[in-house]
């Protein structure tokens, strides 16, 4: 258990509304990631962070922004939600225990944009 | 860019029998990591097994084992003595071994499209 929580777990919102998803970790991991999961695509990286205030874009970053003001929290913001952003969002951390870097995932957030 | 392909959308196995899931990938790198993740109906992504490309020995975790063929860029997962709890989506994933200490750019996981495993009692 990598101590990752996501909030909210489910959200329904309307097109054009801003939405913020939160990822919280309790084990001081440096690297954090946001992925989205859509049918037939597996998981795709949206944004990632390699430290406080250090973030960068992934492969599907359009329409999303992120912030990391504390080690434990990584926020994903949809500035103006669109129906194409209906998806399941997963946060992940990189765990370097035993010098074996592996990504562990949070429970996911289901977002429906109407 | 790396790509990961899982050619089997769905596999069915009888309880207590063995099933093998296929995964192929494309990369020009020589050092990387490969993973299998399980996603049950709860949607939680659970690490099943990992393989370092520089290791020739195939990884094993209890009933789960891999057949890693580096030259063929193949990474199959074998589930032995299948149990009802093994029913899930299984995702193969690739991660470069480059750049970790400089920046996380090389750390992203590239996933295949998944294989659904059905276990028949």
């Amino acid at each position: 258990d990598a101590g990752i929580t996501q909030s909210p777990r489910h959200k329904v919102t309307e097109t054009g509304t801003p939405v913020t998803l939160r990822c919280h970790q309790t084990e001081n991991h440096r690297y954090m990631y946001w992925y989205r999961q859509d049918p037939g695509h597996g998981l795709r990286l949206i944004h990632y962070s390699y430290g406080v205030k250090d973030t960068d874009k992934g492969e599907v970053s359009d329409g999303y922004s992120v912030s990391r003001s504390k080690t434990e929290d990584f926020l994903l913001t949809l500035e103006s939600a669109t129906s194409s952003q209906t998806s399941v969002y997963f946060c992940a951390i990189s765990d370097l225990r035993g010098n074996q870097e592996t990504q562990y995932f949070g429970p996911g957030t289901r977002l429906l944009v109407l | 860019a790396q790509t990961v392909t899982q050619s089997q959308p769905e596999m069915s196995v009888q309880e207590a029998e063995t099933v093998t899931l296929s995964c192929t990938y494309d990369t020009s790198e020589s050092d990387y990591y490969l993973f299998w993740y399980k996603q049950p109906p709860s949607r939680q992504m659970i690490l099943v097994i990992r393989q370092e490309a520089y290791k020739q020995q195939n990884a094993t975790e209890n009933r789960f084992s891999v057949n890693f063929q580096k030259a063929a860029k193949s990474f199959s997962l074998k589930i032995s003595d299948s149990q009802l709890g093994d029913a899930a989506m299984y995702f193969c994933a690739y991660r470069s071994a480059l750049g970790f200490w400089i920046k996380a750019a090389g750390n992203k996981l590239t996933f295949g499209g998944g294989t659904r495993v059905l276990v028949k009692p």
Side-chain angles (χ1 to χ4, degrees):
Chain A
D1 182 4
I4 308 168
T5 58
Q6 293 184 230
S7 58
R9 294 293 312 279
H10 304 272
K11 186 169 182 65
V12 180
T13 191
E14 295 184 348
T15 298
T17 303
V19 176
T20 295
L21 308 183
R22 178 183 184 233
C23 177
H24 180 77
Q25 53 123 340
T26 59
E27 299 188 5
N28 206 35
H29 297 289
R30 180 180 174 189
Y31 297 92
M32 300 183 75
Y33 310 82
W34 277 107
Y35 292 86
R36 61 177 287 174
Q37 183 179 28
D38 304 292
H41 287 280
L43 276 71
R44 293 179 292 174
L45 183 67
I46 304 171
H47 280 280
Y48 61 92
S49 170
Y50 45 99
V52 173
K53 298 185 180 179
D54 290 325
T55 65
D56 207 344
K57 297 178 180 180
E59 61 185 304
V60 290
S61 59
D62 288 347
Y64 301 95
S65 63
V66 290
S67 66
R68 192 165 178 205
S69 58
K70 299 184 291 184
T71 298
E72 57 266 35
D73 289 324
F74 191 31
L75 304 180
L76 177 70
T77 297
L78 291 65
E79 300 291 346
S80 178
T82 67
S83 58
S84 65
Q85 292 175 313
T86 291
S87 188
V88 180
Y89 291 85
F90 286 95
C91 176
I93 58 91
S94 285
D95 187 350
L96 274 177
R97 278 177 287 191
N99 201 31
Q100 294 192 51
E101 196 265 60
T102 298
Q103 289 188 21
Y104 293 94
F105 289 82
T109 294
R110 298 192 71 174
L111 176 65
L112 174 61
V113 183
L114 300 175
Chain B
Q2 294 81 21
T3 59
V4 178
T5 302
Q6 294 179 247
S7 59
Q8 305 152 316
E10 186 173 288
M11 295 287 285
S12 184
V13 60
Q14 203 73 32
E15 195 174 7
E17 294 189 346
T18 296
V19 63
T20 299
L21 311 184
S22 299
C23 174
T24 58
Y25 57 94
D26 184 29
T27 184
S28 59
E29 298 175 340
S30 60
D31 197 12
Y32 48 86
Y33 299 86
L34 297 165
F35 304 85
W36 279 99
Y37 284 89
K38 170 185 177 182
Q39 187 178 42
S42 67
R43 292 190 176 271
Q44 177 74 51
M45 293 290 288
I46 302 166
L47 177 69
V48 174
I49 200 165
R50 58 171 273 152
Q51 175 80 43
E52 292 90 344
Y54 62 86
K55 289 186 177 179
Q56 293 185 341
Q57 185 174 3
N58 289 323
T60 299
E61 286 289 342
N62 301 315
R63 297 181 295 106
F64 298 88
S65 61
V66 298
N67 183 5
F68 173 49
Q69 301 291 327
K70 191 172 184 179
K73 296 180 182 176
S74 170
F75 183 59
S76 62
L77 175 70
K78 184 171 76 172
I79 307 174
S80 303
D81 186 25
S82 296
Q83 301 176 359
L84 296 177
D86 295 333
M89 285 289 290
Y90 287 81
F91 292 95
C92 179
Y94 170 101
R95 183 181 79 74
S96 170
L98 299 176
F100 183 79
W101 295 108
I102 301 173
K103 196 175 175 180
N107 296 342
K108 75 158 190 164
L109 289 171
T110 300
F111 285 86
T115 297
R116 182 175 302 281
V117 172
L118 305 174
V119 181
K120 297 179 180 178

